[in-house]
Amino acid sequence: MKQFLSTTAMAMALLGASATVTAQTTAYPEGAELLTQEALREALADKVFSTAPAQGPKWQWQFKADGRFYLSVGNYSDSGQWSTKESSLCLDSGKNVGCNEMRRKDGVLYLKRNSGEVVSFQLK
């Protein structure tokens, strides 16, 4: 799952997901701060988020406190184990393995995808 997030985007393209084109952001918002491993875990555990990449449908993430995660993107879904390492979210679904840096500003989490795009995690 070295390239989990980009692999998911490719899977969505193969599944025929409709694309909505918006401007891609490649930088964290000014003032976005790194989190400690513990703070990131607390910010994600037992929460559900949606993200809206520049292209494609919204993604819905669910992070359980026991370390399981669930991802839904249109007709595609994935699940596995999640953990934190420094200020990065790490995922292992068996299909994909990897870590992506996250930062926080004004209570909103931001993740930098393998493509370089920065997406916000909107709490549901």
Side-chain angles (χ1 to χ4, degrees), residues 7-72:
T7 301
T8 301
M10 287 190 320
M12 290 309 303
L14 292 173
L15 292 171
S18 62
T20 302
V21 178
T22 58
Q24 180 177 338
T25 303
T26 58
Y28 290 104
E30 186 159 337
E33 298 178 342
L34 295 169
L35 295 96
T36 64
Q37 181 171 326
E38 295 79 20
L40 180 56
R41 180 162 182 70
E42 183 178 317
L44 295 170
D46 282 333
K47 295 184 179 75
V48 176
F49 299 90
S50 68
T51 59
Q55 295 183 8
K58 288 185 179 182
W59 302 8
Q60 181 167 302
W61 298 87
Q62 181 179 18
F63 297 96
K64 297 291 203 175
D66 67 2
R68 290 176 295 140
F69 80 90
Y70 302 92
L71 171 66
S72 297

Side-chain angles (χ1 to χ4, degrees), residues 96-114:
N96 300 294
V97 176
C99 299
N100 295 79
E101 184 179 291
M102 294 189 83
R103 295 187 185 189
R104 180 170 50 194
K105 180 178 181 182
D106 299 329
V108 177
L109 294 170
Y110 297 88
L111 176 136
K112 182 167 273 202
R113 299 177 57 201
N114 293 341

